[in-house]
Each structure stands twice: as structure tokens, then as C-alpha cells.
Amino acid sequence: MARIALVTGGSRGIGASISKTLQAQGYAVAATYAGNDDAAAKFTEETGIKTYKWNVGDYESSQAGIAQVEADLGPIDVVVANAGITRDAPFHKMTPEQWQQVIDTNLTGVFNTVHPIWPGMRERGFGRVIVISSINGQKGQFGQVNYAATKAGDLGIVKSLAQEGAAKGITANAICPGYIATEMVMAVPEKVREKIIAGIPAGRLGEPEEIARCVAFLASDDASFINGSTISANGAQFVV
Ligand SMILES: NC(=O)c1ccc[n+]([C@@H]2O[C@H](COP(=O)([O-])OP(=O)(O)OC[C@H]3O[C@@H](n4cnc5c(N)ncnc54)[C@H](OP(=O)(O)O)[C@@H]3O)[C@@H](O)[C@H]2O)c1
């Protein structure tokens, strides 16, 4: 029987690549999104992967959405908490709303996504929790006090979950991507992009598939003893 994988924010960008890679490896995949219906419909048309719409920042919606996915596909074996946003501003200009929106999606969203799935994983004695953090959670970033705080917090979540889940056959790990050639990064002016690339020893942006392949490895049985760790995938831009 195919394992079941849930990818939040799995209809666009890095998440879409993760969904497709897991599907190609034989998983039954459900992808979630927040509001971009057109992108989600196009994604389903191209891949056959069903999409579900809910806000990961809301616990009740997450609980109900996950219950629907499990009713449709079966118990979730692999959860990839990928949905994330930025609301950048230098700290002296950052509003409480910008702070809260990012906390709700990137940090509370991980709690809301994993918490309803966790008891089933414990009961069945198997689970893979994979959280997409960021290089900027490891090193901080000008204009991203909110974002860096959530992405560093995500690392605390997986390190703790790893210790709680290990005896129940559950692993929890994080991936910290560097700059990846998604729509978001490709939309910045070419001059700015050139500056970013100049700071990456690999001399290029990462590809979404390079993150997706890390996810596929962490989800696999080959990664069964890797628990509580962080994979940096950043072309040596920041070496921990
Ligand atoms: N791109 C990079 O260079 C980079 C680098 C490091 C880390 N990351 C991290 O990687 C992850 C994916 O980034 P990306 O660049 O692929 O993002 P993206 O292209 O902007 O896609 C984000 C996805 O998350 C969904 N989403 C956003 N807020 C949500 C919410 N409240 N509830 C449910 N879904 C929500 C979006 O849904 P809609 O389509 O409905 O908007 C979309 O499917 C994020 O966690 C990001 O922080 C990215």
C-alpha cells in the first residue's frame, strides 16, 4: 500500500516540487494551499494531485482539513510543513500585524499541521515529520526579524518532536533552503538577484527539486536513524 503524504503549501513553488517528487516515488499525495485557487486548479490538472484549501494558521480549519484528507486517502504517514510567508520590514518599521501574520503561518502553522496528525502516527508506530525552515532561521536576516524568529522556532519544534517521537517510530527533521529559484526569487530585479548569487559560493540559486529530493530522502526508510537534524541546502552560502 502506498504511503500517504501531506504537503502544506504544496501547490506552488518548493511545495509543488515536493508534492510531485513524492508522487513520483509512489506516495499518495495531498497538497494544501491558502487562497490561490487558479494555481491550485492548474497544479491538480497537471499532476492529478488533489488540493485542499485551508489556512494553516487556524487550528480548527487544519483539524477539519486533515480529517478530510485522511477520509479521502487514509492515515497520513508523512507530513511536510512547507507553507510559509514573508512580511519583510526593518525592525523599526515592522508592524505588529506583520509580526503576527508570519508567526501565525510559519510557526503556529507547523503546530496546527503536525498536532492533529501526531496521535495517529504514535498509534501506528510510524511517522515522518519534515519542516521547511530557512537559511535565515539559522543566520538571521536584515528586514526579517519576524521570519527569522519563526524559522529558528521551527528548528526548536523538530528537535523536540524528534525526542518525543523516536520511541514511537517517528522522525522529525528540518530542511533549511538557501535561495531557491521560485517565482518569488525570480521576480526580484535582475541586479538584486545577481547580488544574491554573488554571495553563494555555488555561484547559482538552488532549484526546487534540490529541496524536494532532500524531503524524499528524509521521508524514506533509508533515513530511519536521522532524527532531530537540520539539512542545510544552500550552496555553501552559510555553513553551520
Ligand atoms: N523560495 C526560497 O528561496 C525559500 C528559501 C528558504 C525557505 N523557503 C521556505 O520554503 C517554503 C516554501 O516557499 P516558496 O518560495 O515555495 O513559497 P511560495 O511559492 O510563496 O508558495 C507558498 C505556498 O504556501 C501556501 N501558503 C501560504 N500561506 C498559507 C497559509 N496561511 N495556509 C496555507 N497555505 C499557505 C501558498 O498557498 P497559495 O498558493 O494559496 O498562496 C503556496 O502554496 C516556505 O516555508 C519558505 O519560507 C523558501
Side-chain angles (χ1 to χ4, degrees):
M1 267 257 303
R3 283 188 173 149
I4 315 296
L6 174 72
V7 184
T8 66
S11 61
R12 287 201 293 120
I14 294 171
S17 185
I18 294 169
S19 299
K20 288 190 265 187
T21 298
L22 291 178
Q23 182 193 44
Q25 298 213 346
Y27 293 85
V29 179
T32 83
Y33 70 106
N36 193 331
D37 296 318
D38 291 345
K42 192 164 166 251
F43 173 79
T44 300
E45 200 182 301
E46 282 170 8
T47 61
I49 295 171
K50 195 168 174 197
T51 52
Y52 297 80
K53 181 174 166 177
W54 73 77
N55 173 12
V56 297
D58 183 83
Y59 189 81
E60 275 78 35
S61 306
S62 300
Q63 214 175 17
I66 286 162
Q68 187 59 56
V69 169
E70 295 202 319
D72 292 349
L73 298 183
I76 294 166
D77 302 296
V78 176
V79 56
V80 186
N82 163 78
I85 58 167
T86 52
R87 295 287 182 271
D88 296 353
F91 187 58
H92 63 284
K93 290 187 179 162
M94 187 172 284
T95 64
E97 289 74 25
Q98 287 172 320
W99 168 261
Q100 200 57 50
Q101 284 172 1
V102 174
I103 295 286
D104 288 348
T105 303
N106 300 7
L107 188 62
T108 309
V110 176
F111 175 86
N112 293 345
T113 299
V114 180
H115 193 257
I117 297 170
W118 189 255
M121 287 181 165
R122 282 171 49 87
E123 272 168 30
R124 293 185 299 276
F126 179 84
R128 292 283 191 266
V129 176
I130 300 157
V131 179
I132 307 302
S133 174
S134 169
I135 184 176
N136 293 344
Q138 297 173 297
K139 72 172 190 56
Q141 177 62 31
F142 187 101
Q144 290 197 325
V145 164
N146 50 2
Y147 183 83
T150 61
K151 294 299 183 178
D154 289 342
L155 301 183
I157 291 176
V158 298
K159 287 174 186 177
S160 305
L161 285 180
Q163 294 175 51
E164 293 196 20
K168 297 282 184 188
I170 307 171
T171 67
N173 294 286
I175 297 167
C176 286
Y179 284 85
I180 307 301
T182 59
E183 277 171 43
M184 186 181 75
V185 172
M186 296 314 281
V188 305
E190 203 176 333
K191 279 238 156 69
V192 179
R193 212 163 57 236
E194 277 167 11
K195 254 192 173 166
I196 292 172
I197 292 170
I200 305 173
R204 64 173 178 88
L205 300 170
E207 295 297 329
E209 293 73 24
E210 293 180 300
I211 305 306
R213 287 195 293 271
C214 295
V215 171
F217 171 63
L218 289 174
S220 73
D221 289 333
D222 290 339
S224 47
F225 207 54
I226 299 177
N227 204 354
S229 69
T230 300
I231 295 185
S232 298
N234 63 33
Q237 187 181 357
F238 183 70
V239 179
V240 187

